[in-house]
């Protein structure tokens, strides 16, 4: 996690367990599909506009843009993203597992 920008770490530190689990689910779905996802695939917790904006900010801090239109959702990785998206994905997965273990 030390490789993550301060902005990313700050956003992660403010994230609730429900958000982390939903964001982890979204990240997994985006990784598995090369095509845009149906907006219906968005985890319920992220259907809240504020939670979706938090997901956008978190991805943006790792040079990934979360895009959506009326019925589709996809991500676009910036040319200078490097390994940040992978590190973010691993961090989110680990934090989500820790949160599940505390329940």
């Amino acid at each position: 996690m030390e490789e993550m920008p301060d902005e990313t770490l700050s956003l992660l530190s403010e994230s609730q367990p429900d958000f982390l689990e939903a964001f982890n689910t979204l990240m997994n779905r985006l990784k598995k599909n090369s095509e845009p996802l149906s907006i219906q695939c968005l985890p319920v917790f992220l259907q809240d506009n504020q939670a979706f904006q938090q997901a956008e900010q978190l991805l943006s801090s790792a040079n990934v843009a979360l895009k959506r239109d009326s019925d589709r959702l996809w991500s676009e990785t910036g040319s200078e993203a490097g390994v940040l998206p992978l590190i973010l994905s691993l961090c989110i997965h680990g934090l989500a597992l820790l949160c599940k273990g505390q329940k």
Side-chain angles (χ1 to χ4, degrees):
M1 287 182 74
E2 292 176 4
E3 299 299 320
M4 298 305 299
D6 290 341
E7 177 188 2
T8 307
L9 295 174
S10 176
L11 289 166
L12 286 172
S13 71
E14 298 166 5
S15 298
Q16 298 297 316
D18 289 341
F19 171 80
L20 292 171
E21 289 182 37
F23 189 69
N24 184 50
T25 299
L26 175 63
M27 294 283 288
N28 288 333
R29 289 177 183 167
L30 288 170
K31 281 191 294 186
K32 288 180 184 176
N33 295 293
S34 58
E35 298 293 317
L37 300 174
S38 165
I39 202 77
Q40 309 301 325
C41 289
L42 191 62
V44 174
F45 190 85
L46 294 180
Q47 291 176 13
D48 172 74
N49 202 38
Q50 186 175 5
F52 186 83
Q53 288 176 346
Q54 184 180 358
E56 286 179 311
Q57 287 178 320
L58 197 49
L59 284 168
S60 177
S61 72
N63 294 316
V64 177
L66 186 59
K67 306 279 189 166
R68 69 177 167 178
D69 60 20
S70 61
D71 61 344
R72 298 178 309 145
L73 178 71
W74 67 97
S75 63
E76 294 177 357
T77 304
S79 59
E80 299 191 15
V83 296
L84 288 179
L86 176 60
I87 294 172
L88 177 61
S89 178
L90 292 171
C91 290
I92 290 295
H93 185 69
L95 290 170
L97 288 175
L98 286 172
C99 290
K100 279 184 180 181
Q102 291 180 354
K103 287 185 177 180

